[in-house]
Protein backbone atom coordinates (compact mmCIF):
# COMPACT_ATOMS: atom_id res chain seq x y z
CA UNK A 1 0.00 0.00 0.00
CA UNK A 2 2.50 2.43 -0.98
CA UNK A 3 0.78 5.51 -2.21
CA UNK A 4 2.60 8.30 -3.71
CA UNK A 5 1.57 11.35 -1.85
CA UNK A 6 2.33 14.49 -3.73
CA UNK A 7 2.83 17.58 -1.73
CA UNK A 8 2.00 20.73 -3.56
CA UNK A 9 4.88 23.09 -3.20
CA UNK A 10 4.29 26.34 -4.98
CA UNK A 11 6.95 27.42 -7.35
CA UNK A 12 7.58 31.01 -6.36
CA UNK A 13 9.42 31.89 -9.58
CA UNK A 14 6.36 30.98 -11.66
CA UNK A 15 4.08 32.99 -9.36
CA UNK A 16 6.24 36.09 -9.62
CA UNK A 17 6.41 35.76 -13.40
CA UNK A 18 2.65 35.30 -13.74
CA UNK A 19 2.00 38.41 -11.58
CA UNK A 20 4.43 40.41 -13.71
CA UNK A 21 2.64 39.36 -16.91
CA UNK A 22 -0.72 40.31 -15.42
CA UNK A 23 0.67 43.69 -14.38
CA UNK A 24 2.09 44.29 -17.84
CA UNK A 25 -1.21 43.37 -19.51
CA UNK A 26 -3.16 45.66 -17.18
CA UNK A 27 -0.78 48.58 -17.77
CA UNK A 28 -0.92 47.99 -21.54
CA UNK A 29 -4.73 47.98 -21.56
CA UNK A 30 -4.85 51.10 -19.40
CA UNK A 31 -2.38 53.03 -21.58
CA UNK A 32 -4.04 52.00 -24.83
CA UNK A 33 -7.42 53.14 -23.48
CA UNK A 34 -6.00 56.52 -22.46
CA UNK A 35 -4.25 57.02 -25.78
CA UNK A 36 -7.09 55.89 -28.01
CA UNK A 37 -9.90 57.79 -26.31
CA UNK A 38 -9.63 61.45 -27.33
CA UNK A 39 -9.71 63.97 -24.54
CA UNK A 40 -12.81 66.12 -24.78
CA UNK A 41 -12.98 69.60 -23.37
CA UNK A 42 -16.31 70.30 -21.82
CA UNK A 43 -17.26 73.82 -22.76
CA UNK A 44 -20.79 74.92 -22.43
CA UNK A 45 -22.44 77.08 -25.03
CA UNK A 46 -22.61 80.78 -24.20
CA UNK A 47 -24.24 83.91 -25.63
CA UNK A 48 -22.48 87.27 -25.54
CA UNK A 49 -24.73 90.34 -25.28
CA UNK A 50 -24.07 94.07 -25.20
CA UNK A 51 -26.94 95.80 -23.41
CA UNK A 52 -27.56 99.55 -23.19
CA UNK A 53 -30.20 100.88 -20.82
CA UNK A 54 -31.53 103.89 -18.98
CA UNK A 55 -32.72 104.14 -15.37
CA UNK A 56 -36.46 104.69 -15.40
CA UNK A 57 -37.79 104.38 -11.86
CA UNK A 58 -36.48 106.48 -8.94
CA UNK A 59 -33.46 107.77 -10.80
CA UNK A 60 -32.53 110.35 -8.21
CA UNK A 61 -29.97 113.06 -8.84
CA UNK A 62 -27.84 112.16 -11.85
CA UNK A 63 -24.38 113.58 -12.19
CA UNK A 64 -23.08 111.09 -14.76
CA UNK A 65 -24.73 110.31 -18.11
CA UNK A 66 -28.07 108.56 -17.92
CA UNK A 67 -27.11 105.58 -20.11
CA UNK A 68 -25.49 102.43 -18.75
CA UNK A 69 -23.72 99.75 -20.81
CA UNK A 70 -23.53 96.13 -19.62
CA UNK A 71 -21.77 93.20 -21.24
CA UNK A 72 -23.44 89.88 -20.43
CA UNK A 73 -22.11 86.38 -20.97
CA UNK A 74 -25.02 83.98 -20.59
CA UNK A 75 -24.26 80.31 -20.01
CA UNK A 76 -26.88 78.20 -21.81
CA UNK A 77 -26.44 75.25 -19.43
CA UNK A 78 -28.12 77.25 -16.67
CA UNK A 79 -25.05 77.61 -14.50
CA UNK A 80 -23.21 80.81 -13.68
CA UNK A 81 -23.35 83.79 -16.05
CA UNK A 82 -21.10 86.84 -15.87
CA UNK A 83 -21.99 90.52 -16.07
CA UNK A 84 -19.47 93.27 -16.79
CA UNK A 85 -20.66 96.75 -15.76
CA UNK A 86 -18.22 99.65 -15.77
CA UNK A 87 -15.28 97.27 -15.54
CA UNK A 88 -16.72 95.43 -12.52
CA UNK A 89 -17.35 91.73 -13.11
CA UNK A 90 -20.30 90.12 -11.36
CA UNK A 91 -21.56 86.56 -11.42
CA UNK A 92 -25.09 85.32 -11.09
CA UNK A 93 -27.17 82.18 -11.32
CA UNK A 94 -28.92 81.76 -14.68
CA UNK A 95 -32.50 80.62 -15.19
CA UNK A 96 -33.53 79.88 -18.78
CA UNK A 97 -37.17 79.65 -19.86
CA UNK A 98 -37.98 79.42 -23.54
CA UNK A 99 -36.38 82.51 -25.04
CA UNK A 100 -35.92 84.55 -21.86
CA UNK A 101 -33.01 84.57 -19.43
CA UNK A 102 -33.02 85.62 -15.79
CA UNK A 103 -29.73 86.19 -13.99
CA UNK A 104 -29.84 86.69 -10.22
CA UNK A 105 -26.83 88.40 -8.68
CA UNK A 106 -26.49 87.97 -4.91
CA UNK A 107 -24.17 89.54 -2.37
CA UNK A 108 -22.08 87.84 0.33
CA UNK A 109 -25.07 87.51 2.68
CA UNK A 110 -27.03 85.71 -0.07
CA UNK A 111 -29.57 88.52 -0.45
CA UNK A 112 -30.65 89.50 -3.97
CA UNK A 113 -28.67 92.48 -5.20
CA UNK A 114 -29.71 92.66 -8.89
CA UNK A 115 -32.07 90.71 -11.14
CA UNK A 116 -31.29 90.84 -14.86
CA UNK A 117 -34.16 89.84 -17.16
CA UNK A 118 -33.39 89.45 -20.86
CA UNK A 119 -36.02 88.70 -23.48
CA UNK A 120 -34.21 87.08 -26.40
CA UNK A 121 -37.13 87.34 -28.80
CA UNK A 122 -37.66 91.11 -28.51
CA UNK A 123 -34.10 92.07 -27.54
CA UNK A 124 -35.13 93.93 -24.38
CA UNK A 125 -33.70 93.70 -20.91
CA UNK A 126 -34.34 95.11 -17.48
CA UNK A 127 -32.30 95.25 -14.31
CA UNK A 128 -34.16 95.42 -11.02
CA UNK A 129 -32.16 96.49 -7.98
CA UNK A 130 -34.38 95.86 -4.95
CA UNK A 131 -31.83 97.18 -2.45
CA UNK A 132 -31.42 100.51 -4.23
CA UNK A 133 -35.03 100.66 -5.47
CA UNK A 134 -33.96 101.33 -9.07
CA UNK A 135 -34.93 99.79 -12.40
CA UNK A 136 -32.90 99.93 -15.60
CA UNK A 137 -34.69 99.32 -18.91
CA UNK A 138 -32.94 98.92 -22.25
CA UNK A 139 -32.13 96.84 -25.32
CA UNK A 140 -29.57 94.15 -26.07
CA UNK A 141 -27.57 93.18 -29.12
CA UNK A 142 -25.57 90.04 -29.72
CA UNK A 143 -21.85 90.58 -29.47
CA UNK A 144 -18.77 88.59 -30.42
CA UNK A 145 -17.51 88.08 -26.90
Amino acid sequence: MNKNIQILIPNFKDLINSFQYKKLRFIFVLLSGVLLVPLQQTRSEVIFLKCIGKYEINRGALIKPDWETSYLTINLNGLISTIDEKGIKKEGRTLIRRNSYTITHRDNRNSVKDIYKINGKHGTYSVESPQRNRTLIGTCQKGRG
Side-chain angles (χ1 to χ4, degrees):
M1 294 226 172
N2 285 339
K3 289 185 180 179
N4 290 340
I5 300 175
Q6 291 182 347
I7 300 174
L8 295 175
I9 299 173
N11 190 349
F12 290 110
K13 289 182 182 178
D14 290 339
L15 284 176
I16 292 172
N17 288 338
S18 69
F19 282 132
Q20 286 177 352
Y21 290 130
K22 287 180 183 178
K23 284 181 186 176
L24 283 175
R25 273 192 271 155
F26 177 72
I27 291 172
F28 179 71
V29 168
L30 187 68
L31 285 177
S32 64
V34 168
L35 294 176
L36 295 178
V37 175
L39 297 175
Q40 295 180 353
Q41 291 182 350
T42 56
R43 276 190 90 180
S44 58
E45 192 175 344
V46 294
I47 296 175
F48 298 102
L49 298 174
K50 178 183 178 181
C51 300
I52 300 172
K54 184 177 184 179
Y55 284 104
E56 293 292 327
I57 300 172
N58 295 334
R59 295 188 315 186
L62 293 174
I63 299 171
K64 295 182 179 180
D66 208 12
W67 295 96
E68 296 263 340
T69 303
S70 301
Y71 298 95
L72 304 172
T73 305
I74 299 174
N75 190 341
L76 292 180
N77 284 348
L79 300 173
I80 302 293
S81 296
T82 58
I83 303 124
D84 187 2
E85 286 183 336
K86 301 177 192 174
I88 300 170
K89 287 200 172 195
K90 305 175 186 177
E91 290 184 342
R93 192 107 172 126
T94 308
L95 175 69
I96 301 172
R97 289 196 179 143
R98 294 185 189 161
N99 206 9
S100 67
Y101 311 99
T102 303
I103 303 170
T104 306
H105 174 244
R106 297 181 179 267
D107 61 3
N108 293 341
R109 291 175 282 163
N110 206 21
S111 61
V112 176
K113 198 167 187 183
D114 297 315
I115 300 171
Y116 295 82
K117 294 180 182 178
I118 299 106
N119 187 336
K121 186 175 183 181
H122 300 295
T124 61
Y125 93 115
S126 67
V127 180
E128 297 173 6
S129 302
Q131 291 179 351
R132 292 183 277 167
N133 196 19
R134 296 181 357 170
T135 300
L136 179 83
I137 298 173
T139 59
C140 285
Q141 300 173 356
K142 284 194 176 182
R144 291 188 211 172

